């Protein structure tokens, strides 16, 4: 999901390492696969920037030349767990008694019993995946807060389902119930009927996720608030959709 939301940035990086004919050919394949992109240069703003934010630190290095397409392994779903924080332990799935830890363990135990079978993407270009290509689960923490009423529970965003599941307890039982209701690769976007988990469809055509995980990469912690405050990223996404 993140890759689709910032496809324009990824594609601009591609243009730095591919010749124009290669870029146009790949663009045609992405278009046929329904992946939004743009051929506009990523750095199309004024230099120096006139958006009013502070300049990046001198040692703020960003790789703009590596080919991002295909650099992420496919996964069936990605979940973002509410915490109300912007930084976490380096490995969120290793934080003791957290929902992320429980969910990681539950997935490892239950996925083998799932009736889902992986399949290839058909005519999709290399590096573009669908949820059916894998049974892997990506577990992330998010800065959003719990929207339910039950104490000591979490609101979980589920992608690519574009779904919100609320009141998920940070227990092994809560993680197991969430997995069976919404994360089992054999379960569709509608979820498991009569699971007891309450969920709603996110009313958006695009969701932008900004990494602020300082204990993994300090640059994310520096860049996230600047990107969140900037208007250009939202303008670019509106153009794509």
């Amino acid at each position: 999901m993140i890759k689709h939301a910032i496809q324009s940035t990824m594609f601009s990086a591609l243009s730095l390492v591919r010749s124009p004919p290669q870029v146009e050919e790949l663009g045609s394949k992405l278009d046929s696969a329904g992946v939004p992109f743009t051929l506009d240069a990523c750095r199309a703003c004024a230099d120096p920037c006139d958006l009013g934010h502070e300049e990046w630190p001198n040692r703020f290095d960003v790789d703009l030349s590596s080919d991002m397409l295909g650099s992420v392994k496919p996964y069936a779903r990605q979940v973002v767990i509410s915490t109300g924080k912007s930084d976490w332990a380096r490995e969120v799935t290793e934080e003791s008694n957290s929902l992320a830890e429980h969910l990681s363990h539950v997935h490892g135990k239950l996925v083998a019993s799932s009736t889902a079978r992986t399949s290839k993407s058909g005519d999709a270009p290399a590096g573009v995946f669908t949820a059916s290509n894998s049974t892997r689960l990506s577990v992330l923490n998010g800065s959003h807060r719990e929207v339910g009423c039950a104490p000591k529970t979490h609101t979980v965003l589920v992608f690519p389902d574009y779904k919100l599941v609320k009141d998920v307890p940070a227990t092994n039982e809560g993680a197991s119930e969430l997995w069976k209701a919404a994360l089992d690769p054999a379960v569709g976007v509608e979820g498991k009927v009569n699971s007891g988990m309450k969920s709603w469809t996110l009313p958006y055509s695009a969701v932008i996720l900004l990494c602020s995980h300082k204990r993994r990469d300090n640059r994310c912690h520096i860049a996230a608030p600047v990107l969140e405050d900037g208007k250009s990223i939202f303008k670019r996404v509106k153009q794509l959709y």
Side-chain angles (χ1 to χ4, degrees):
M1 301 309 302
I2 299 175
K3 181 167 60 178
H4 283 199
I6 58 173
Q7 196 72 41
S8 61
T9 302
M10 179 209 74
F11 205 80
S12 297
L14 284 177
S15 65
L16 296 176
V17 296
R18 298 174 186 265
S19 65
Q22 289 177 316
V23 170
E24 292 181 4
E25 180 182 0
L26 179 56
S28 177
K29 292 181 179 179
L30 291 174
D31 187 52
S32 64
V35 178
F37 70 94
T38 178
L39 292 174
D40 293 340
C42 177
R43 184 72 175 177
C45 56
D47 188 10
C49 184
D50 58 1
L51 290 180
H53 61 71
E54 297 181 4
E55 289 296 317
W56 302 116
N58 292 331
R59 296 186 179 182
F60 188 82
D61 297 324
V62 179
D63 181 1
L64 296 177
S65 60
S66 295
D67 195 339
M68 294 176 64
L69 184 61
S71 63
V72 178
K73 294 181 179 180
Y75 43 81
R77 283 187 172 96
Q78 181 177 72
V79 298
V80 186
I81 302 169
S82 66
T83 67
K85 302 176 182 179
S86 60
D87 191 27
W88 310 271
R90 179 175 175 80
E91 297 292 343
V92 298
T93 56
E94 295 179 2
E95 185 174 357
S96 181
N97 290 321
S98 66
L99 180 56
E101 180 191 46
H102 290 306
L103 196 52
S104 179
H105 289 169
V106 164
H107 179 73
K109 292 180 180 179
L110 298 182
V111 70
S113 63
S114 175
T115 59
R117 295 293 179 267
T118 59
S119 60
K120 295 183 178 180
S121 299
D123 297 330
V128 175
F129 310 110
T130 64
S132 62
N133 294 155
S134 174
T135 58
R136 294 173 63 242
L137 177 67
S138 171
V139 181
L140 305 176
N141 279 346
S143 60
H144 61 292
R145 298 181 181 277
E146 160 64 24
V147 299
C149 300
K152 297 183 179 180
T153 61
H154 295 273
T155 293
V156 180
L157 306 180
V158 182
F159 298 105
D161 302 48
Y162 274 70
K163 185 164 60 178
L164 177 153
V165 183
K166 76 181 191 73
D167 296 335
V168 182
T171 62
N172 190 70
E173 292 75 15
S176 180
E177 186 177 357
L178 172 64
W179 191 91
K180 293 176 182 178
L183 304 180
D184 181 347
V187 174
V189 65
E190 70 281 357
K192 186 177 180 180
V193 179
N194 300 324
S195 66
M197 285 281 175
K198 297 180 179 180
S199 64
W200 288 264
T201 300
L202 295 176
Y204 311 114
S205 59
V207 173
I208 302 173
L209 301 177
L210 302 176
C211 181
S212 62
H213 203 161
K214 182 178 182 179
R215 274 175 269 190
R216 287 195 68 90
D217 192 328
N218 188 50
R219 292 172 298 179
C220 293
H221 192 72
I222 294 172
V226 177
L227 293 173
E228 184 179 15
D229 184 60
K231 303 298 187 295
S232 59
I233 187 172
F234 300 105
K235 182 178 180 181
R236 178 66 65 87
V237 171
K238 285 184 178 180
Q239 292 173 345
L240 290 174
Y241 287 86

